[in-house]
mmCIF file of all heavy atoms in Angstrom:
data_model
loop_
_atom_site.group_PDB
_atom_site.id
_atom_site.type_symbol
_atom_site.label_atom_id
_atom_site.label_comp_id
_atom_site.label_asym_id
_atom_site.label_seq_id
_atom_site.Cartn_x
_atom_site.Cartn_y
_atom_site.Cartn_z
ATOM 1 N N ALA A 42 65.331 126.060 83.364
ATOM 2 C CA ALA A 42 66.312 125.894 84.477
ATOM 3 C C ALA A 42 65.699 126.590 85.699
ATOM 4 O O ALA A 42 65.911 125.959 86.863
ATOM 5 C CB ALA A 42 67.628 126.549 84.117
ATOM 6 N N HIS A 43 65.093 127.746 85.590
ATOM 7 C CA HIS A 43 64.568 128.426 86.717
ATOM 8 C C HIS A 43 63.276 127.700 87.312
ATOM 9 O O HIS A 43 62.984 127.802 88.545
ATOM 10 C CB HIS A 43 64.319 129.924 86.490
ATOM 11 C CG HIS A 43 65.551 130.767 86.438
ATOM 12 N ND1 HIS A 43 66.426 130.675 85.459
ATOM 13 C CD2 HIS A 43 66.202 131.547 87.377
ATOM 14 C CE1 HIS A 43 67.480 131.509 85.735
ATOM 15 N NE2 HIS A 43 67.301 132.019 86.927
ATOM 16 N N GLU A 44 62.509 127.077 86.413
ATOM 17 C CA GLU A 44 61.369 126.248 86.926
ATOM 18 C C GLU A 44 61.908 125.060 87.805
ATOM 19 O O GLU A 44 61.274 124.772 88.780
ATOM 20 C CB GLU A 44 60.623 125.717 85.733
ATOM 21 C CG GLU A 44 59.738 126.757 85.089
ATOM 22 C CD GLU A 44 58.995 126.259 83.871
ATOM 23 O OE1 GLU A 44 59.498 125.244 83.334
ATOM 24 O OE2 GLU A 44 57.967 126.844 83.441
ATOM 25 N N ASP A 45 63.049 124.549 87.402
ATOM 26 C CA ASP A 45 63.637 123.500 88.228
ATOM 27 C C ASP A 45 64.046 124.027 89.604
ATOM 28 O O ASP A 45 63.861 123.304 90.566
ATOM 29 C CB ASP A 45 64.887 122.895 87.448
ATOM 30 C CG ASP A 45 65.307 121.572 88.023
ATOM 31 O OD1 ASP A 45 64.483 120.850 88.312
ATOM 32 O OD2 ASP A 45 66.626 121.424 88.116
ATOM 33 N N VAL A 46 64.601 125.206 89.666
ATOM 34 C CA VAL A 46 64.933 125.797 90.959
ATOM 35 C C VAL A 46 63.743 126.000 91.781
ATOM 36 O O VAL A 46 63.748 125.687 93.008
ATOM 37 C CB VAL A 46 65.742 127.100 90.730
ATOM 38 C CG1 VAL A 46 66.015 127.814 92.071
ATOM 39 C CG2 VAL A 46 67.000 126.840 90.052
ATOM 40 N N ALA A 47 62.613 126.589 91.196
ATOM 41 C CA ALA A 47 61.452 126.795 91.890
ATOM 42 C C ALA A 47 60.872 125.466 92.508
ATOM 43 O O ALA A 47 60.322 125.416 93.593
ATOM 44 C CB ALA A 47 60.363 127.522 90.987
ATOM 45 N N THR A 48 60.902 124.378 91.670
ATOM 46 C CA THR A 48 60.337 123.126 92.059
ATOM 47 C C THR A 48 61.082 122.631 93.327
ATOM 48 O O THR A 48 60.481 121.970 94.237
ATOM 49 C CB THR A 48 60.504 122.115 90.947
ATOM 50 O OG1 THR A 48 59.798 122.540 89.800
ATOM 51 C CG2 THR A 48 59.979 120.739 91.305
ATOM 52 N N ARG A 49 62.347 122.983 93.526
ATOM 53 C CA ARG A 49 63.079 122.537 94.716
ATOM 54 C C ARG A 49 63.065 123.534 95.790
ATOM 55 O O ARG A 49 63.835 123.444 96.817
ATOM 56 C CB ARG A 49 64.607 122.308 94.302
ATOM 57 C CG ARG A 49 64.734 121.055 93.278
ATOM 58 C CD ARG A 49 66.211 120.717 93.231
ATOM 59 N NE ARG A 49 67.037 121.761 92.793
ATOM 60 C CZ ARG A 49 67.280 122.081 91.525
ATOM 61 N NH1 ARG A 49 66.711 121.440 90.528
ATOM 62 N NH2 ARG A 49 67.989 123.137 91.209
ATOM 63 N N GLY A 50 62.214 124.502 95.717
ATOM 64 C CA GLY A 50 61.925 125.400 96.787
ATOM 65 C C GLY A 50 62.588 126.766 96.604
ATOM 66 O O GLY A 50 62.636 127.624 97.577
ATOM 67 N N GLY A 51 63.212 127.059 95.521
ATOM 68 C CA GLY A 51 63.734 128.441 95.280
ATOM 69 C C GLY A 51 65.191 128.532 95.870
ATOM 70 O O GLY A 51 65.855 127.515 96.212
ATOM 71 N N TRP A 52 65.703 129.700 96.049
ATOM 72 C CA TRP A 52 67.051 129.903 96.600
ATOM 73 C C TRP A 52 66.956 130.508 97.962
ATOM 74 O O TRP A 52 66.003 131.181 98.336
ATOM 75 C CB TRP A 52 67.920 130.741 95.723
ATOM 76 C CG TRP A 52 67.222 131.845 94.974
ATOM 77 C CD1 TRP A 52 66.552 132.917 95.543
ATOM 78 C CD2 TRP A 52 67.161 132.052 93.579
ATOM 79 N NE1 TRP A 52 66.045 133.698 94.537
ATOM 80 C CE2 TRP A 52 66.400 133.235 93.345
ATOM 81 C CE3 TRP A 52 67.712 131.377 92.412
ATOM 82 C CZ2 TRP A 52 66.178 133.725 92.112
ATOM 83 C CZ3 TRP A 52 67.423 131.797 91.208
ATOM 84 C CH2 TRP A 52 66.696 132.944 90.999
ATOM 85 N N PRO A 53 68.019 130.255 98.862
ATOM 86 C CA PRO A 53 68.004 130.733 100.251
ATOM 87 C C PRO A 53 68.007 132.283 100.279
ATOM 88 O O PRO A 53 68.699 132.861 99.363
ATOM 89 C CB PRO A 53 69.134 130.069 100.888
ATOM 90 C CG PRO A 53 70.111 129.784 99.743
ATOM 91 C CD PRO A 53 69.239 129.495 98.573
ATOM 92 N N LYS A 54 67.538 132.854 101.372
ATOM 93 C CA LYS A 54 67.623 134.324 101.531
ATOM 94 C C LYS A 54 68.965 134.648 102.052
ATOM 95 O O LYS A 54 69.471 134.001 102.977
ATOM 96 C CB LYS A 54 66.510 134.727 102.454
ATOM 97 C CG LYS A 54 66.260 136.293 102.500
ATOM 98 C CD LYS A 54 65.009 136.618 103.168
ATOM 99 C CE LYS A 54 64.793 138.160 103.180
ATOM 100 N NZ LYS A 54 63.513 138.605 103.760
ATOM 101 N N VAL A 55 69.452 135.757 101.687
ATOM 102 C CA VAL A 55 70.690 136.363 102.161
ATOM 103 C C VAL A 55 70.409 137.375 103.323
ATOM 104 O O VAL A 55 69.650 138.196 103.063
ATOM 105 C CB VAL A 55 71.551 136.999 101.105
ATOM 106 C CG1 VAL A 55 72.913 137.527 101.635
ATOM 107 C CG2 VAL A 55 71.791 136.044 99.982
ATOM 108 N N PRO A 56 70.978 137.209 104.494
ATOM 109 C CA PRO A 56 70.683 138.178 105.529
ATOM 110 C C PRO A 56 71.199 139.578 105.242
ATOM 111 O O PRO A 56 72.193 139.806 104.534
ATOM 112 C CB PRO A 56 71.437 137.537 106.806
ATOM 113 C CG PRO A 56 72.457 136.663 106.223
ATOM 114 C CD PRO A 56 71.927 136.189 104.868
ATOM 115 N N ALA A 57 70.558 140.647 105.729
ATOM 116 C CA ALA A 57 70.939 141.977 105.508
ATOM 117 C C ALA A 57 72.412 142.283 105.979
ATOM 118 O O ALA A 57 73.064 143.155 105.445
ATOM 119 C CB ALA A 57 69.955 142.895 106.252
ATOM 120 N N ALA A 58 72.811 141.522 106.983
ATOM 121 C CA ALA A 58 74.117 141.619 107.565
ATOM 122 C C ALA A 58 75.216 141.412 106.506
ATOM 123 O O ALA A 58 76.364 141.821 106.659
ATOM 124 C CB ALA A 58 74.414 140.845 108.754
ATOM 125 N N ALA A 59 74.895 140.805 105.406
ATOM 126 C CA ALA A 59 75.835 140.452 104.313
ATOM 127 C C ALA A 59 76.433 141.683 103.652
ATOM 128 O O ALA A 59 77.539 141.671 103.118
ATOM 129 C CB ALA A 59 75.211 139.507 103.305
ATOM 130 N N THR A 60 75.663 142.828 103.796
ATOM 131 C CA THR A 60 76.140 144.087 103.168
ATOM 132 C C THR A 60 77.396 144.600 103.895
ATOM 133 O O THR A 60 78.093 145.539 103.403
ATOM 134 C CB THR A 60 75.103 145.135 103.225
ATOM 135 O OG1 THR A 60 74.585 145.388 104.524
ATOM 136 C CG2 THR A 60 73.856 144.707 102.292
ATOM 137 N N ALA A 61 77.637 144.022 105.129
ATOM 138 C CA ALA A 61 78.869 144.575 105.825
ATOM 139 C C ALA A 61 80.057 143.729 105.579
ATOM 140 O O ALA A 61 81.115 143.929 106.047
ATOM 141 C CB ALA A 61 78.550 144.562 107.293
ATOM 142 N N LEU A 62 79.928 142.630 104.830
ATOM 143 C CA LEU A 62 80.939 141.623 104.574
ATOM 144 C C LEU A 62 82.033 142.198 103.583
ATOM 145 O O LEU A 62 81.747 142.891 102.606
ATOM 146 C CB LEU A 62 80.468 140.365 103.946
ATOM 147 C CG LEU A 62 79.495 139.550 104.866
ATOM 148 C CD1 LEU A 62 78.978 138.335 104.106
ATOM 149 C CD2 LEU A 62 80.291 138.974 106.116
ATOM 150 N N LYS A 63 83.198 141.928 104.013
ATOM 151 C CA LYS A 63 84.401 142.293 103.046
ATOM 152 C C LYS A 63 85.197 141.021 102.766
ATOM 153 O O LYS A 63 85.095 140.013 103.520
ATOM 154 C CB LYS A 63 85.303 143.267 103.869
ATOM 155 C CG LYS A 63 84.623 144.617 104.310
ATOM 156 C CD LYS A 63 84.086 145.380 103.177
ATOM 157 C CE LYS A 63 83.499 146.670 103.565
ATOM 158 N NZ LYS A 63 82.904 147.406 102.443
ATOM 159 N N PRO A 64 85.959 141.067 101.706
ATOM 160 C CA PRO A 64 86.911 139.892 101.435
ATOM 161 C C PRO A 64 87.662 139.371 102.700
ATOM 162 O O PRO A 64 88.125 140.309 103.444
ATOM 163 C CB PRO A 64 87.745 140.378 100.321
ATOM 164 C CG PRO A 64 86.893 141.371 99.565
ATOM 165 C CD PRO A 64 86.152 142.089 100.747
ATOM 166 N N ASP A 65 87.779 138.178 102.848
ATOM 167 C CA ASP A 65 88.435 137.507 103.974
ATOM 168 C C ASP A 65 87.617 137.470 105.298
ATOM 169 O O ASP A 65 88.023 136.951 106.364
ATOM 170 C CB ASP A 65 89.814 138.182 104.305
ATOM 171 C CG ASP A 65 90.831 138.095 103.107
ATOM 172 O OD1 ASP A 65 90.794 137.065 102.441
ATOM 173 O OD2 ASP A 65 91.543 138.990 102.955
ATOM 174 N N ALA A 66 86.390 137.942 105.222
ATOM 175 C CA ALA A 66 85.502 137.864 106.375
ATOM 176 C C ALA A 66 84.994 136.465 106.578
ATOM 177 O O ALA A 66 85.120 135.563 105.596
ATOM 178 C CB ALA A 66 84.297 138.752 106.126
ATOM 179 N N THR A 67 84.641 136.082 107.784
ATOM 180 C CA THR A 67 84.170 134.669 108.052
ATOM 181 C C THR A 67 82.864 134.786 108.842
ATOM 182 O O THR A 67 82.477 135.890 109.343
ATOM 183 C CB THR A 67 85.181 133.968 108.796
ATOM 184 O OG1 THR A 67 85.374 134.637 110.081
ATOM 185 C CG2 THR A 67 86.508 133.737 108.125
ATOM 186 N N GLY A 68 82.146 133.711 108.871
ATOM 187 C CA GLY A 68 80.912 133.672 109.663
ATOM 188 C C GLY A 68 79.726 133.133 108.915
ATOM 189 O O GLY A 68 79.769 132.793 107.822
ATOM 190 N N PRO A 69 78.601 132.950 109.609
ATOM 191 C CA PRO A 69 77.446 132.495 109.063
ATOM 192 C C PRO A 69 76.810 133.157 107.907
ATOM 193 O O PRO A 69 76.159 132.590 106.968
ATOM 194 C CB PRO A 69 76.407 132.332 110.278
ATOM 195 C CG PRO A 69 77.001 133.398 111.235
ATOM 196 C CD PRO A 69 78.443 133.292 111.061
ATOM 197 N N GLU A 70 77.022 134.536 107.831
ATOM 198 C CA GLU A 70 76.541 135.364 106.783
ATOM 199 C C GLU A 70 77.323 134.922 105.511
ATOM 200 O O GLU A 70 76.676 134.996 104.384
ATOM 201 C CB GLU A 70 76.791 136.878 107.021
ATOM 202 C CG GLU A 70 75.951 137.340 108.138
ATOM 203 C CD GLU A 70 76.501 137.153 109.445
ATOM 204 O OE1 GLU A 70 77.671 136.640 109.571
ATOM 205 O OE2 GLU A 70 75.833 137.488 110.537
ATOM 206 N N VAL A 71 78.587 134.590 105.639
ATOM 207 C CA VAL A 71 79.294 134.130 104.424
ATOM 208 C C VAL A 71 78.735 132.828 103.855
ATOM 209 O O VAL A 71 78.522 132.699 102.701
ATOM 210 C CB VAL A 71 80.789 133.978 104.754
ATOM 211 C CG1 VAL A 71 81.528 133.575 103.449
ATOM 212 C CG2 VAL A 71 81.371 135.309 105.190
ATOM 213 N N VAL A 72 78.387 131.915 104.769
ATOM 214 C CA VAL A 72 77.808 130.629 104.461
ATOM 215 C C VAL A 72 76.548 130.888 103.701
ATOM 216 O O VAL A 72 76.320 130.242 102.676
ATOM 217 C CB VAL A 72 77.620 129.779 105.690
ATOM 218 C CG1 VAL A 72 76.905 128.494 105.354
ATOM 219 C CG2 VAL A 72 78.975 129.423 106.384
ATOM 220 N N ALA A 73 75.708 131.726 104.183
ATOM 221 C CA ALA A 73 74.460 132.017 103.580
ATOM 222 C C ALA A 73 74.624 132.626 102.181
ATOM 223 O O ALA A 73 73.875 132.239 101.207
ATOM 224 C CB ALA A 73 73.564 132.928 104.465
ATOM 225 N N LEU A 74 75.584 133.519 102.083
ATOM 226 C CA LEU A 74 75.841 134.139 100.786
ATOM 227 C C LEU A 74 76.316 133.119 99.750
ATOM 228 O O LEU A 74 75.873 133.077 98.550
ATOM 229 C CB LEU A 74 76.906 135.226 100.962
ATOM 230 C CG LEU A 74 77.461 135.832 99.614
ATOM 231 C CD1 LEU A 74 76.237 136.565 98.919
ATOM 232 C CD2 LEU A 74 78.532 136.854 99.983
ATOM 233 N N LYS A 75 77.223 132.203 100.242
ATOM 234 C CA LYS A 75 77.675 131.180 99.305
ATOM 235 C C LYS A 75 76.649 130.243 98.889
ATOM 236 O O LYS A 75 76.507 129.825 97.751
ATOM 237 C CB LYS A 75 78.868 130.332 100.046
ATOM 238 C CG LYS A 75 80.109 131.216 100.223
ATOM 239 C CD LYS A 75 81.149 130.432 101.173
ATOM 240 C CE LYS A 75 81.805 129.317 100.334
ATOM 241 N NZ LYS A 75 82.987 128.835 101.066
ATOM 242 N N GLN A 76 75.664 129.837 99.763
ATOM 243 C CA GLN A 76 74.546 129.007 99.410
ATOM 244 C C GLN A 76 73.626 129.681 98.320
ATOM 245 O O GLN A 76 73.265 129.033 97.412
ATOM 246 C CB GLN A 76 73.764 128.684 100.650
ATOM 247 C CG GLN A 76 74.528 127.826 101.610
ATOM 248 C CD GLN A 76 73.626 127.481 102.913
ATOM 249 O OE1 GLN A 76 72.681 128.227 103.124
ATOM 250 N NE2 GLN A 76 74.013 126.474 103.644
ATOM 251 N N ARG A 77 73.440 130.900 98.499
ATOM 252 C CA ARG A 77 72.610 131.620 97.516
ATOM 253 C C ARG A 77 73.396 131.741 96.177
ATOM 254 O O ARG A 77 72.769 131.448 95.091
ATOM 255 C CB ARG A 77 72.391 133.079 98.007
ATOM 256 C CG ARG A 77 71.708 133.953 96.930
ATOM 257 C CD ARG A 77 70.345 133.524 96.596
ATOM 258 N NE ARG A 77 69.667 134.355 95.610
ATOM 259 C CZ ARG A 77 69.889 134.240 94.259
ATOM 260 N NH1 ARG A 77 70.810 133.385 93.854
ATOM 261 N NH2 ARG A 77 69.245 135.100 93.430
ATOM 262 N N LEU A 78 74.664 131.881 96.037
ATOM 263 C CA LEU A 78 75.387 131.970 94.911
ATOM 264 C C LEU A 78 75.422 130.623 94.255
ATOM 265 O O LEU A 78 75.394 130.505 92.956
ATOM 266 C CB LEU A 78 76.795 132.523 95.147
ATOM 267 C CG LEU A 78 76.901 133.986 95.578
ATOM 268 C CD1 LEU A 78 78.252 134.391 96.123
ATOM 269 C CD2 LEU A 78 76.559 134.940 94.389
ATOM 270 N N VAL A 79 75.569 129.560 94.999
ATOM 271 C CA VAL A 79 75.535 128.162 94.446
ATOM 272 C C VAL A 79 74.154 127.912 93.803
ATOM 273 O O VAL A 79 74.070 127.306 92.674
ATOM 274 C CB VAL A 79 75.932 127.146 95.452
ATOM 275 C CG1 VAL A 79 75.532 125.722 94.960
ATOM 276 C CG2 VAL A 79 77.370 127.263 95.882
ATOM 277 N N ALA A 80 73.049 128.355 94.476
ATOM 278 C CA ALA A 80 71.778 128.040 94.057
ATOM 279 C C ALA A 80 71.421 128.622 92.629
ATOM 280 O O ALA A 80 70.636 128.125 91.869
ATOM 281 C CB ALA A 80 70.744 128.538 95.024
ATOM 282 N N SER A 81 72.079 129.787 92.353
ATOM 283 C CA SER A 81 71.820 130.378 91.018
ATOM 284 C C SER A 81 73.033 130.128 90.043
ATOM 285 O O SER A 81 73.013 130.737 88.916
ATOM 286 C CB SER A 81 71.724 131.961 91.152
ATOM 287 O OG SER A 81 72.826 132.567 91.870
#
Side-chain angles (χ1 to χ4, degrees):
H43 282 77
E44 284 177 338
D45 194 40
V46 172
T48 300
R49 294 193 302 274
W52 36 58
K54 192 169 183 177
V55 178
T60 57
L62 294 174
K63 303 293 181 186
D65 298 324
T67 60
E70 292 83 7
V71 178
V72 174
L74 174 61
K75 292 172 75 171
Q76 290 176 343
R77 171 63 180 84
L78 293 167
V79 168
S81 56

